[in-house]
Amino acid sequence: NSRIAKRVQEGKVILHEENLAVYLLRLQEAGDLLLGEPSENDEYGHRITVENKSLNVTLDIWNRVSRSATILDDTILIEPPHIGENRLYSEFRAFLAESSNKPIWSGYARGFAFKRNFESNLQEIVTKRLKSNELQDEPVILCGQSGTGKSIALGHLAYSIRKEKKYPVLFIENRSKLPRPNDLDTFCKWAEDFGASAVLIIWDGMVEQEQYYELTKRLSSRGRKVVVVGSCYRKAAAQKNNFVEAPAFLSNSSPKREGIDEMTGFIDFVEKFAPSSSENLRKLSEKGGDRFLVALYRLLPPTKSQIRAGLAKEVQ
């Protein structure tokens, strides 16, 4: 077409091999475009229930914040459909393999996350800070070796807090690019303007502790009521109240507050989804093997690649 050819030469038209439909779908998957007719009551399709109020997240806020974090809207709370035993086992394996990269929210709803003893302490600290009227000047940091369940625990924390429908939650995965503080501040201000008393930001970054402190101070200096939770390998030199450790071993005698034995609980948990592995775990526990990392690596194959990658990064 001579007219199009002329516009191409003038630089006014750019040709693409892919068709428009494919391009639009890519934009939708990236969260930059919403396709389809909006409903009468839900203009953009992203809603967050906070203190019995259903808030509509505008497309502009959603797209901007999504560059740095995942907004946990009400869709993650939808009960997943019932599936057969074989499919359940398959999804359990996928949950184990992928959760260190990105939370699979339906897996938490299906009970795929084994709750370790330290999680109760973590949730108690976070809940207390969310309820506090004071601005937070330091983050909550979950520390521990690779394979101790930090990422699963942080995803579980995000899911359980969001399930209460009291506070908005942002989740930042372990990624190469650091989150943009201005994006997070935009969301916190939006939530604040619509009556949210606090915002929970969970950053599973496995970065230096100073970066969590810097983000917390930056947001609090702007008057944002926010609780930041981060993850790292090493403990602080001096143990502080804002640090929670994920032990590398499974306790054989549980803390008083839990009332259960971690080893026994883990064996019973695995038995629900992978009976063959639970028998090997039982034998391992009888020999005194209480290493959580070793048990995962040897008996739950889907976790191997992630543990290898985590250990390499930890050593580095």
Side-chain angles (χ1 to χ4, degrees):
N1 186 299
S2 59
R3 291 183 179 180
I4 294 179
K6 184 180 179 181
R7 296 296 178 264
V8 171
Q9 290 175 352
E10 294 171 350
K12 296 180 179 178
V13 171
I14 299 174
L15 302 181
H16 296 270
E17 290 185 6
E18 62 187 6
N19 61 42
L20 180 61
V22 172
Y23 185 70
L24 291 176
L25 286 172
R26 286 184 181 178
L27 286 175
Q28 180 179 244
E29 290 171 357
D32 296 329
L33 180 70
L34 185 67
L35 300 178
E37 289 287 333
S39 65
E40 294 180 3
N41 299 321
D42 190 358
E43 187 178 356
Y44 298 105
H46 301 297
R47 303 198 74 84
I48 298 177
T49 303
V50 177
E51 297 287 357
N52 298 321
K53 291 191 297 183
S54 183
L55 309 180
N56 179 51
V57 185
T58 65
L59 191 59
D60 177 58
I61 294 287
W62 183 273
N63 289 341
R64 180 171 179 179
V65 177
S66 294
R67 297 183 302 185
S68 297
T70 298
I71 303 173
L72 273 64
D73 64 356
D74 288 352
T75 60
I76 74 157
L77 302 179
I78 298 173
E79 283 293 321
H82 176 75
I83 54 178
E85 190 174 319
N86 291 337
R87 177 77 183 279
L88 191 69
Y89 176 61
S90 176
E91 291 202 9
F92 175 60
R93 287 174 61 92
F95 179 81
L96 293 177
E98 299 298 329
S99 289
S100 61
N101 294 324
K102 184 178 182 179
I104 301 177
W105 304 116
S106 61
Y108 292 101
R110 293 190 188 280
F112 290 162
F114 173 67
K115 185 177 180 181
R116 297 202 58 196
N117 289 342
F118 70 80
E119 292 187 48
S120 295
N121 184 32
L122 176 64
Q123 181 143 357
E124 185 178 324
I125 292 172
V126 170
T127 301
K128 185 177 180 180
R129 291 184 176 220
L130 286 170
K131 291 180 179 179
S132 172
N133 294 323
E134 299 178 1
L135 294 178
Q136 302 298 315
D137 58 358
E138 61 181 17
V140 177
I141 298 180
L142 178 62
C143 56
Q145 295 179 10
S146 294
T148 53
K150 298 186 298 301
S151 293
I152 296 284
L154 291 178
H156 200 192
L157 174 66
Y159 182 80
S160 58
I161 293 294
R162 190 66 207 93
K163 197 172 182 179
E164 294 174 359
K165 297 183 178 181
K166 291 183 179 180
Y167 308 100
V169 178
L170 296 180
F171 194 95
I172 306 170
E173 301 133 19
N174 190 343
R175 56 177 76 174
S176 56
K177 292 184 179 179
L178 295 177
R180 304 179 185 184
N182 287 340
D183 292 346
L184 307 181
D185 180 67
T186 296
F187 181 82
C188 292
K189 185 180 185 309
W190 170 84
E192 179 184 304
D193 290 343
F194 281 93
S197 59
V199 174
L200 174 62
I201 298 178
I202 297 179
W203 182 5
D204 187 19
M206 297 305 295
V207 295
E208 294 297 325
Q209 301 161 17
E210 289 75 16
Q211 296 197 44
Y212 301 123
Y213 277 91
E214 185 180 338
L215 176 62
T216 304
K217 289 178 180 177
R218 185 163 182 171
L219 292 174
S220 64
S221 68
R222 297 185 180 184
R224 306 297 172 228
K225 179 62 175 61
V226 60
V227 177
V228 175
V229 182
S231 60
C232 70
Y233 291 118
R234 294 175 296 177
K235 265 189 190 179
Q239 187 66 36
K240 298 180 180 179
N241 292 331
N242 63 315
F243 279 77
V244 176
E245 183 182 5
F249 57 88
L250 289 167
S251 64
N252 286 312
S253 56
S254 61
K256 292 180 181 178
R257 69 168 65 212
E258 283 297 310
I260 63 167
D261 182 312
E262 264 193 321
M263 177 61 81
T264 302
F266 186 55
I267 292 171
D268 292 342
F269 167 79
V270 172
E271 198 160 41
K272 292 190 295 184
F273 306 106
S276 59
S277 296
S278 69
E279 182 58 33
N280 292 328
L281 267 176
R282 204 176 298 279
K283 291 177 181 177
L284 187 67
S285 67
E286 291 170 357
K287 294 178 181 178
D290 59 358
R291 288 284 164 177
F292 191 76
L293 172 64
V294 176
L296 282 175
Y297 189 86
R298 289 179 59 187
L299 305 174
L300 298 176
T303 65
K304 286 192 174 185
S305 61
Q306 299 303 331
I307 291 176
R308 284 195 192 106
L311 283 173
K313 186 178 178 183
E314 184 177 349
V315 171
Q316 199 174 42

